[in-house]
Amino acid sequence: MLFTKTSYIGVDLTGRKAFTYAALDADLGLLALIAGEMEDVLAFIGGQASAFVAINAPAKPNQGRVRALLEAESLTSGRSALRGVDMRLAEHELRLRGIKVAATASRPELCPSWMRSGFALYEKLIGLGFVSYPNEGASHQVLETHPQAAFIAITDGNLLSASTLEGRLQRQTILFDMGLQIRDPMEFFEEITRHRLQQGILPLEQVYASSQLNAFLAAYTAWLAATKPTSTIALGDGDEGKVYLPVSEMKAKY
């Protein structure tokens, strides 16, 4: 489906389907919310006249920045600090803040399959003419984000588990209050009656899956990076791939 104006697209690789993607317009209206394979994602993204794409996956293996940093620290301190160094600098910075994230190994074969799918997606997008964000004037840009870390930062660390109903409702409320034109999470409660609750009949169709919520926040991050870049923060090293989050600042510890 072709949209003549700029589309802001978020891609999540952590759900049951290989790829879940959401697309927003300039007013944060929902253009698409689809789960499918890489070919589906590429067909949709490739048809956009202009697009900013945020992906919940690293673009490449780590380049040894953390190892070099910790080796230098161990030389000056006289203490070995080299455990768990096989990760990117962005991941190291998030972990220092108390945010648990997966580590990207230095070799693709040591990375989980979803990361390798992410590497392939970035390569395909570059082949379609996308350039790494930020690139002033470019109509097709791609960046990395991390919705879980973003939700933690937005909630000041008071984030409920995405595996629970309340955790998904919390995320959906955050997104709705940000202005995304998605289902109002309060409608879930409006449809609950005493009888339906006794019968175990809940309006679960009103609540998005965690992968969809991740895709929404990734799409919002793409929109924010394109329209209000000072409202985002970047972590990590450019050569390894920076991670962009939809907050202007972060706490030292969560």
Side-chain angles (χ1 to χ4, degrees), residues 108-183:
E109 63 270 21
L110 298 179
C111 296
S113 60
W114 68 269
M115 282 190 184
R116 297 196 300 273
S117 294
F119 300 157
L121 179 58
Y122 282 99
E123 289 181 6
K124 294 286 188 181
L125 290 177
I126 297 301
L128 290 176
F130 278 78
V131 297
S132 296
Y133 174 88
N135 191 304
E136 188 173 353
S139 61
H140 293 74
Q141 300 188 42
V142 61
L143 60 144
E144 179 187 347
T145 189
H146 197 295
Q148 175 71 2
F151 277 124
I152 289 173
I154 291 167
T155 60
D156 287 331
N158 300 308
L159 185 65
L160 302 174
S161 172
S163 64
T164 65
L165 175 60
E166 55 268 33
R168 297 197 302 278
L169 282 168
Q170 180 189 30
R171 287 162 174 77
Q172 190 167 331
T173 301
I174 290 168
L175 293 164
F176 187 83
D177 288 348
M178 283 176 169
L180 275 72
Q181 297 177 41
I182 59 175
R183 291 194 291 266

Side-chain angles (χ1 to χ4, degrees), residues 78-99:
R79 295 178 300 173
S80 176
L82 298 182
R83 288 187 61 188
V85 299
D86 201 17
M87 69 181 72
R88 295 180 305 152
L89 185 59
E91 294 148 4
H92 179 63
E93 291 177 358
L94 286 169
R95 289 187 177 197
L96 287 177
R97 287 178 165 87
I99 300 176

Side-chain angles (χ1 to χ4, degrees), residues 141-230:
Q141 300 188 42
V142 61
L143 60 144
E144 179 187 347
T145 189
H146 197 295
Q148 175 71 2
F151 277 124
I152 289 173
I154 291 167
T155 60
D156 287 331
N158 300 308
L159 185 65
L160 302 174
S161 172
S163 64
T164 65
L165 175 60
E166 55 268 33
R168 297 197 302 278
L169 282 168
Q170 180 189 30
R171 287 162 174 77
Q172 190 167 331
T173 301
I174 290 168
L175 293 164
F176 187 83
D177 288 348
M178 283 176 169
L180 275 72
Q181 297 177 41
I182 59 175
R183 291 194 291 266
D184 185 345
M186 293 301 102
E187 293 180 2
F188 171 84
F189 299 101
E190 292 172 3
E191 293 189 19
I192 296 178
T193 64
R194 181 180 297 274
H195 172 72
R196 297 187 72 180
L197 193 56
Q198 288 176 343
Q199 296 299 313
I201 304 171
L202 297 177
L204 297 177
E205 69 279 357
Q206 295 291 337
V207 187
Y208 294 101
S210 59
S211 58
Q212 294 174 319
L213 296 164
N214 284 342
F216 281 140
L217 189 53
Y220 176 77
T221 304
W223 176 83
L224 208 62
T227 62
K228 302 178 181 180
T230 57

Side-chain angles (χ1 to χ4, degrees), residues 29-77:
L30 182 59
L31 300 175
L33 177 61
I34 301 171
E37 303 301 323
M38 184 181 297
E39 293 75 15
D40 304 311
V41 180
L42 292 171
F44 180 85
I45 295 176
Q48 305 310 303
S50 174
F52 282 73
V53 180
I55 302 174
N56 181 19
K60 64 179 76 170
N62 82 64
Q63 306 298 303
R65 298 293 186 272
V66 174
R67 175 175 289 279
L69 174 67
L70 296 184
E71 282 179 345
E73 289 181 359
S74 67
L75 287 174
T76 56
S77 67

